[in-house]
Amino acid sequence: MKTTKAKMTRTTTKPAAPESRLAMVRRARRINRELAEVYPYAHPELDFRNPFELLVATVLSAQTTDLRVNQTTPALFAAYPTPEDMAAADPERVEELIRPTGFFRAKTRSLIGLSTAIRDNFGGEVPGRLDDLVTLPGVGRKTANVVLGNAFGVPGITVDTHFGRLVRRWKWTDREDPEKVEADVAAIFPKSEWTMLSHRVVFHGRRVCHSRKPACGACPIAPLCPSYGEGETDPEKAKKLLKYELGGYPGQRLSPPPDYPGEPAPPLGAE
Ligand code: SF4
């Protein structure tokens, strides 16, 4: 009896062969292609008209939603349209304007500090190089890459909380440190894909592959995902978890691009 049981165990628990690096790279590139079909309109979800506005909006987006930032920045940019204006701002007035984004004292220090540095060290223009951007107060690698990729057309991978979570679920990396994640993903894709890949992954994380309840049953890349089943697999229940335009709701931008299929976000106070 014992022998039979042992035999059965041996035949039924044969582990699947680990995925080769080549197979993982092929699967990753397929995921990127599929996401490009699902989100042909993927874009930065912060409203901005120039590199300075994008830099400020990205600093404000820490620990809050892009929607909240977009609802806050019109009044801020009307009051302080240039780095010179913001460098000379009264901190209390800035705090008041950006209060809805949270951590408003620290963010005010960053905004006035980075504006002063741009005025004094870079002739009043946001620098277009990573090494220069990260010298600005409150600007880390992630913020610098957002600005480079979207205001200067320099390819960049932006590892935020969504990006890190999804690429670990997809087994593109098993590392936590954002710089290491960036390096691992950079090794899988050509540079020309980096910026749009970042938008697509973040779009998918915000709409479908949520942190606590991923909508696996409504996920277009489920067949390519080794973490399928981590979330809701029932198609009807999963559909109810979809957010923004996929769930039939407004997006995060007050002025979305023309090809965006959903409604624009409501202005502050109209939610
Ligand atoms: S199948 Fe589930 S875990 Fe995988 S990407 Fe889709 S929602 Fe995320």
Side-chain angles (χ1 to χ4, degrees), residues 25-37 170 172 189 197 200-201 204 221 224-226:
V25 169
R26 283 195 177 136
R27 184 172 55 78
R29 291 181 176 187
R30 236 187 109 191
I31 288 178
N32 181 37
R33 285 198 300 274
E34 299 274 336
L35 291 179
E37 300 231 329
W170 297 336
W172 297 2
F189 294 93
L197 170 77
R200 290 168 196 144
V201 174
H204 196 61
I221 54 160
L224 299 166
C225 178

Side-chain angles (χ1 to χ4, degrees), residues 169-170 204 208-209 214-216 219 221-222 225 227-231:
R169 280 181 177 162
W170 297 336
H204 196 61
V208 182
C209 191
C216 297
C219 177
I221 54 160
C225 178
S227 298
Y228 171 81
E230 207 170 288

Side-chain angles (χ1 to χ4, degrees), residues 76-116:
L76 181 71
F77 295 146
Y80 310 110
T82 68
E84 286 82 0
D85 297 324
M86 205 171 284
D90 170 9
E92 280 186 20
R93 175 79 182 117
V94 176
E95 285 178 5
E96 204 179 298
L97 285 167
I98 68 167
R99 184 184 284 264
T101 69
F103 302 95
F104 55 92
R105 290 206 177 88
K107 287 178 181 175
T108 295
R109 273 196 300 279
S110 294
L111 294 190
I112 294 181
L114 70 84
S115 299
T116 306

